[in-house]
Amino acid sequence: LSGLHSRSLSTVLPSVSIDFSNSKLCFTQSQYFMSFSRPVADFQLFVGSVIEDKSSDRSKPDLQLQTQRLAEKLKCDTVVSEISTGPGTVNFTINRELLAKTVLQQVFKDGSEYGIKSELFSTLPRRKIIIEFSSPNIAKKFHVGHLRSTIIGNFVANLKEALGHQVTRINYLGDWGMQFGLLGAGFQQFGNEEELQSNPLQHLFEVYVQVNKAAEEDENIKKLAQDFFRKLEARDQQTLSMWQRFRDFSIEEYVRIYKRLGVHFDEYSGESFYQEKSQEVLKMLDAKGLLQKTIKGTRVVDLSEKRDLSLSSTVMRSDGTSLYITRDLAAAIDRMQKYNCDTMIYVTDKSQHTHFEQLFQILKLMGYQWAERCQHVSFGLVQGMKTRKGEVVFLEDVLNEARSRMLQNMASAKTSKELENPLETAEKIGLAALIIQDFKGLLSSDYQFSWDRVLQSRGDTGVFLQYTHARLHSLEQMYRNGQSTDINTACLQDPQAISVLQHLLRYDEVLYKSSEDLQPKHIVSYLLMLSHLAAVAHKTLPVKGSAPELAQARLRLFQAARSVLANGMKLLGIMPVTQM
């Protein structure tokens, strides 16, 4: 068992396999500790996995006899306090005081890095990583469709940074294309400078709707739009100046919304940056013999196995202008040269799966082997997101709705306290509710949105996480003058306390899982379970009225639970509240 204990209980895995005498011993962490009766065991060894004879006619009495003999040969030590047998299993119970002492010491010693400093990550090479996410279209109000990319990208960036990687967060804006020709022509026809100054994106949105309607009835509008975009591509100063104003107004508005979401970027890039460089990419493709002309006059890259154009990607229009994928090729090459990164991660919805598959394939054909290290993190669609006013379009409406509903819920709740800043608290709880609802399942899954389900104070919601954190924080504050770091761990032997400690022990495994597949659901499930276990412990292990030594030990346990809960919430992009 020395292999199992060598890590001083810092990262005991739920399922551990080690080779022993040419047989494989399979240990499974018992789930008994999740119940609140006396735990039967923490780990079980399935003896059948040791015996080389795998024939099905092996008698049960024979297996049980061998189980008994093996158990008699094993000795307890400072880590294992009890060894017993079950049907074909040898059961191990960990020294409870050692468990409490080790876990609590580690939580408070490592602080915000608890779980990160685990041996699971000790050999992890530190990388330079670029993460592109959010990417709204300028001159439009922030559409709710960009919410998932924003919060998922933020989570991936938070996790990678926590693990010690050097992360660059890029917002690749949709700031080029024919739609700006239409908007520019529309502003010249219907724009109002005063309205642009007072509410820029709302006014530009109204202009865009108006000019689209006008273009359907008047061919001349379409010609004006084409002329505007042609001037833009030719870098006409007056046209470029108007476009730049639209872009600046947009970024200013987005930064304000990102602040509400707790999101920041290291670089605001965009398609416009690569309009000229995309022409260089086309020349490179041509020089490598990868560019082929179609009957329609477009240029494509053949991606088929047999090189028969059965699968291709269009990279140039018949008029010689570039497309979205051409600009993405230019952006990827430019970033690699600028940052010399190890990995590039793109966070967009799953409808763009083929686009990124082709992007990476073309880069490889061009000889860029680093394309193997590029990754597309895709996600599904949210259905049924509405406000009280009806179908929602803009993200700010959703954030306002979440805050408004939360304020209403807080005002009607009997347990709510007088808050210094109820608006700010409601904002944080509302955002937590949106994030947990989004992160509970596989990112690639579509899901049906429901305000009632999202904002429930009980059950597996962001509101419940915030409530648990606030409750544990209040407990700490109540006894902050009498807190002691030197506690008697013998006071933490109740099943409810052991359940919390065992769960805290697993945090590094959960971080490891999420770091492997970039799915936040592992962390969400872990935090929800931690909150449920803490709630039961809080109810059955009172601090108030207990003997001082017992009260101190319990307070330390709850403090550790709150610390790990806060760490996990911050990784998800949630700012924990201290009152609600």
Side-chain angles (χ1 to χ4, degrees):
L1 289 172
S2 60
L4 183 64
H5 305 155
S6 65
R7 295 159 74 199
S8 305
L9 287 175
S10 61
T11 51
V12 179
L13 298 172
S15 152
V16 180
S17 297
I18 56 174
D19 286 324
F20 183 76
S21 302
N22 298 319
S23 296
K24 195 165 251 192
L25 278 96
C26 295
F27 289 94
T28 302
Q29 192 168 348
S30 168
Q31 296 302 306
Y32 288 116
F33 71 84
M34 297 304 290
S35 69
F36 299 118
S37 57
R38 170 162 167 69
V40 176
D42 296 311
F43 292 88
Q44 292 178 314
L45 164 65
F46 290 90
V47 178
S49 66
V50 180
I51 300 166
E52 289 183 14
D53 176 19
K54 301 293 181 185
S55 59
S56 57
D57 60 350
R58 191 196 306 134
S59 67
K60 286 185 180 178
D62 182 50
L63 177 61
Q64 198 58 34
L65 183 62
Q66 292 187 61
T67 300
Q68 198 67 44
R69 283 176 182 167
L70 178 58
E72 286 167 4
K73 289 179 183 179
L74 295 168
K75 304 294 180 189
C76 294
D77 60 12
T78 55
V79 176
V80 177
S81 62
E82 187 183 329
I83 299 170
S84 61
T85 60
T89 65
V90 179
N91 305 325
F92 303 90
T93 301
I94 302 299
N95 179 322
R96 295 301 187 224
E97 285 191 46
L98 179 64
L99 172 71
K101 184 181 177 182
T102 306
V103 171
L104 294 179
Q105 273 184 355
Q106 209 66 47
V107 169
F108 293 114
K109 179 188 171 190
D110 293 347
S112 62
E113 292 186 309
Y114 176 69
I116 303 291
K117 286 190 170 182
S118 159
E119 285 187 20
L120 284 175
F121 300 109
S122 61
T123 58
L124 184 77
R126 301 306 185 247
R127 306 283 193 199
K128 285 184 181 177
I129 301 171
I130 284 175
I131 303 174
E132 179 197 299
F133 63 104
S134 194
S135 307
N137 298 311
I138 71 157
K140 292 181 181 178
K141 288 184 79 172
F142 203 125
H143 194 276
V144 73
H146 294 284
L147 173 62
R148 289 205 84 182
S149 175
T150 306
I151 60 176
I152 293 166
N154 189 50
F155 159 72
V156 174
N158 289 345
L159 182 61
K160 294 290 186 185
E161 278 179 348
L163 293 172
H165 300 294
Q166 186 181 323
V167 175
T168 303
R169 302 162 183 245
I170 294 181
N171 198 339
Y172 185 66
L173 301 169
D175 62 357
W176 204 253
M178 186 53 77
Q179 71 267 30
F180 295 104
L182 200 58
L183 181 64
F187 190 78
Q188 288 171 337
Q189 295 280 316
F190 312 112
N192 181 294
E193 188 60 35
E194 199 175 304
E195 286 183 44
L196 181 68
Q197 291 289 344
S198 63
N199 196 348
L201 295 197
Q202 181 61 38
H203 182 55
L204 290 175
F205 173 70
E206 288 164 359
V207 166
Y208 192 69
V209 170
Q210 201 172 351
V211 74
N212 262 294
K213 192 178 177 183
E216 288 173 12
E217 300 163 3
D218 188 352
E219 280 294 320
N220 192 46
I221 297 285
K222 288 180 183 176
K223 286 177 185 174
L224 289 171
Q226 287 166 354
D227 287 345
F228 188 94
F229 188 59
R230 203 174 292 116
K231 286 179 183 176
L232 194 58
E233 288 209 303
R235 297 304 204 218
D236 172 72
Q237 281 306 305
Q238 192 177 349
T239 311
L240 203 59
S241 174
M242 185 186 289
W243 168 85
Q244 188 65 52
R245 284 186 76 206
F246 294 167
R247 191 178 193 278
D248 292 344
F249 277 133
S250 303
I251 291 174
E252 195 178 308
E253 180 75 1
Y254 297 156
V255 167
R256 186 179 63 79
I257 292 172
Y258 289 133
K259 192 175 179 182
R260 288 185 70 176
L261 292 169
V263 174
H264 72 275
F265 292 92
D266 300 301
E267 181 183 306
Y268 281 88
S269 178
E271 291 181 68
S272 60
F273 285 59
Y274 300 104
Q275 187 254 330
E276 287 179 24
K277 287 186 178 181
S278 63
Q279 295 302 317
E280 293 172 25
V281 168
L282 291 170
K283 286 174 187 173
M284 287 167 67
L285 287 167
D286 198 25
K288 289 177 182 289
L290 295 171
L291 212 56
Q292 296 194 36
K293 190 176 182 179
T294 65
I295 301 167
K296 294 178 181 177
T298 60
R299 298 291 195 281
V300 300
V301 175
D302 188 359
L303 300 175
S304 61
E305 283 185 26
K306 295 179 180 178
R307 295 287 173 256
D308 58 2
L309 287 176
S310 55
L311 178 64
S312 64
S313 176
T314 306
V315 292
M316 189 174 87
R317 294 190 184 93
S318 55
D319 63 1
T321 56
S322 63
L323 282 92
Y324 183 61
I325 195 165
T326 331
R327 296 190 282 274
D328 262 2
L329 287 165
I333 295 164
D334 180 64
R335 287 171 191 170
M336 189 54 76
Q337 289 170 348
K338 182 178 176 181
Y339 292 103
N340 189 28
C341 61
D342 299 291
T343 309
M344 272 194 276
I345 298 171
Y346 298 82
V347 184
T348 73
D349 73 81
K350 61 186 178 184
S351 69
Q352 293 197 47
H353 172 75
T354 303
H355 168 82
F356 285 103
E357 212 173 45
Q358 293 186 352
L359 174 70
F360 304 153
Q361 203 175 340
I362 294 171
L363 286 167
K364 277 187 264 185
L365 287 172
M366 293 174 78
Y368 295 114
Q369 292 311 308
W370 47 259
E372 294 278 359
R373 305 194 303 273
C374 292
Q375 184 180 358
H376 177 216
V377 174
S378 62
F379 54 85
L381 303 175
V382 184
Q383 291 144 350
M385 194 175 265
K386 298 178 181 180
T387 64
R388 290 187 179 94
K389 296 175 184 175
E391 201 72 39
V392 74
V393 177
F394 304 122
L395 175 59
E396 194 156 29
D397 294 335
V398 174
L399 297 180
N400 291 343
E401 183 87 2
R403 184 175 63 191
S404 164
R405 286 181 184 245
M406 219 36 251
L407 269 174
Q408 197 174 344
N409 290 0
M410 284 158 59
S412 59
K414 293 175 184 176
T415 55
S416 287
K417 298 177 180 177
E418 284 284 327
L419 302 175
E420 285 180 22
N421 195 333
L423 209 64
E424 187 182 318
T425 302
E427 174 104 331
K428 287 176 181 175
I429 300 169
L431 183 58
L434 291 172
I435 289 173
I436 294 300
Q437 168 72 12
D438 201 280
F439 286 178
K440 273 164 73 174
L442 270 174
L443 293 181
S444 57
S445 302
D446 300 338
Y447 72 88
Q448 193 69 31
F449 185 86
S450 159
W451 281 112
D452 291 338
R453 189 172 63 245
V454 166
L455 297 175
Q456 280 177 354
S457 58
R458 297 178 185 274
D460 293 344
T461 64
V463 180
F464 175 58
L465 287 188
Q466 290 283 32
Y467 174 74
T468 304
H469 185 274
R471 197 178 187 190
L472 294 176
H473 184 271
S474 295
L475 188 66
E476 279 179 51
Q477 293 302 103
M478 200 181 296
Y479 296 97
R480 67 180 180 273
N481 295 328
Q483 275 187 40
S484 171
T485 55
D486 185 22
I487 62 157
N488 181 2
T489 52
C491 296
L492 296 175
Q493 304 309 300
D494 307 86
Q496 298 88 344
I498 296 299
S499 295
V500 173
L501 290 164
Q502 285 276 21
H503 199 64
L504 292 175
L505 190 66
R506 288 177 157 168
Y507 185 54
D508 63 337
E509 304 161 34
V510 175
L511 294 180
Y512 187 78
K513 259 187 185 176
S514 280
S515 72
E516 287 286 286
D517 62 12
L518 300 183
Q519 294 285 341
K521 71 186 183 84
H522 309 303
I523 297 174
V524 169
S525 298
Y526 174 88
L527 296 180
L528 289 167
M529 177 56 77
L530 177 60
S531 296
H532 285 297
L533 292 172
V536 171
H538 186 268
K539 192 175 181 180
T540 54
L541 307 175
V543 174
K544 188 178 180 181
S546 297
E549 190 178 46
L550 186 60
Q552 284 296 338
R554 287 174 176 175
L555 194 60
R556 199 71 172 151
L557 175 71
F558 292 127
Q559 198 177 355
R562 187 205 58 77
S563 174
V564 175
L565 179 60
N567 291 347
M569 289 169 76
K570 287 171 187 173
L571 280 181
L572 296 173
I574 297 168
M575 187 51 63
V577 298
T578 53
Q579 284 183 305
M580 64 180 284

